[in-house]
Amino acid sequence: KDVQKEREPHVYLSKEEVKEKIQSYNSSVTDKLKMTLNANGIYTGFIKVQMELCRPITVQSSQSQGRCAPSSSETAFYLPDGCVNTLHISSTNTVREVIEALLKKFFVADNPAKFALYKRCHKEDQVYTCKLSDREHPLYLRLVAGPKTEMLSFVLREHETGEVMWEAFSIPELQNFLRILDKEESDQLQILKNRYAAYRGKLEEALRGVLKPG
């Protein structure tokens, strides 16, 4: 169930309160992804982000990084639904910075503005998903909710809703989308041909058995 962004006040914790929460958090961690409190009050830790992308992403090869012009080393493909990635971040990192870091980690060439980070949480036996603002701090949300992803998890989705704004994509991106659609069409056509060829073979085999002189 998707809901509008929640108007939750950000509770500013004292250094001692943060320390206590981190100790409690770390005592409950089961995957060794603990948080660390630094002397300056900033803490670091890990968040897991589930990818729920409906459209293809454009990925750059490591050789083409840093170039402004599109190149043949960029490819587009559909990311498997439910793919989960782990990021090491600090309490000062914002949602926008987390999205940029996530895309950079996997050499995604798409504009970060096309994506949004959502939080998914359980309340009163229901699952709610709401969009986070660019200035919120995911690690703080993780600390307050605790380490259990059943209580809180993060999801990356396309920023746009409703109709796809194709004019927001570059020519190379659109060309990559067309190549993907052509390949999917070819693959589906081959699957149908194989299915009907097998069906035809079984029919011919059955006919031979019926027409065989007894």
Side-chain angles (χ1 to χ4, degrees):
K1 180 180 179 181
D2 287 356
V3 298
Q4 291 184 345
K5 183 186 175 304
E6 298 176 352
R7 300 288 182 179
E8 294 182 354
H10 187 103
V11 179
Y12 291 94
L13 304 175
S14 67
K15 187 175 179 179
E16 192 59 37
E17 288 173 324
V18 169
K19 182 178 179 180
E20 290 176 1
K21 279 191 172 293
I22 290 177
Q23 289 175 342
S24 175
Y25 182 97
N26 289 342
S27 66
S28 303
V29 166
T30 58
D31 54 12
K32 298 182 180 180
L33 301 181
K34 297 184 177 183
M35 293 194 187
T36 302
L37 179 62
N38 300 314
N40 58 4
I42 297 174
Y43 50 97
T44 59
F46 299 85
I47 62 168
K48 295 180 179 180
V49 181
Q50 182 171 336
M51 316 292 274
E52 291 185 356
L53 305 180
C54 299
R55 296 189 290 277
I57 57 172
T58 304
V59 178
Q60 256 183 347
S61 70
S62 56
Q63 289 82 1
S64 63
Q65 289 181 40
R67 298 177 186 173
C68 296
S71 69
S72 58
S73 57
E74 290 185 355
T75 56
F77 64 91
Y78 285 98
L79 201 65
D81 191 30
C83 177
V84 177
N85 294 298
T86 303
L87 282 179
H88 185 251
I89 62 174
S90 81
S91 55
T92 62
N93 289 133
T94 62
V95 163
R96 181 51 45 189
E97 290 171 335
V98 165
I99 292 174
E100 291 172 355
L102 186 63
L103 299 181
K104 184 178 179 181
K105 179 179 179 181
F106 295 97
F107 307 134
V108 177
D110 297 274
N111 189 337
K114 294 179 182 178
F115 303 92
L117 193 67
Y118 291 74
K119 72 174 181 178
R120 183 175 288 155
C121 53
H122 291 252
K123 287 184 179 180
E124 299 176 355
D125 297 326
Q126 292 193 51
V127 180
Y128 294 88
T129 303
C130 62
K131 180 182 171 183
L132 297 173
S133 72
D134 286 349
R135 295 184 179 181
E136 291 189 76
H137 299 85
L139 195 62
Y140 168 80
L141 298 176
R142 178 79 279 160
L143 176 63
V144 172
K148 293 183 178 180
T149 54
E150 294 84 2
M151 299 301 298
L152 172 73
S153 59
F154 296 104
V155 180
L156 185 73
R157 293 178 178 176
E158 286 89 356
H159 193 279
E160 298 87 4
T161 58
E163 294 272 337
V164 178
M165 304 295 291
W166 294 111
E167 60 272 17
F169 294 87
S170 66
I171 296 299
E173 285 178 317
L174 294 174
Q175 290 173 337
N176 275 328
F177 295 163
L178 286 176
R179 282 194 288 270
I180 290 173
L181 291 174
D182 287 341
K183 185 179 184 306
E184 287 185 345
E185 182 181 15
S186 177
D187 290 344
Q188 289 299 318
L189 183 60
Q190 190 59 49
I191 290 172
L192 287 174
K193 286 182 177 179
N194 293 340
R195 182 183 302 167
Y196 282 105
Y199 185 56
R200 181 187 181 91
K202 291 180 180 179
L203 283 176
E204 290 176 344
E205 184 180 347
L207 283 172
R208 284 194 296 270
V210 171
L211 300 176
K212 186 177 180 180

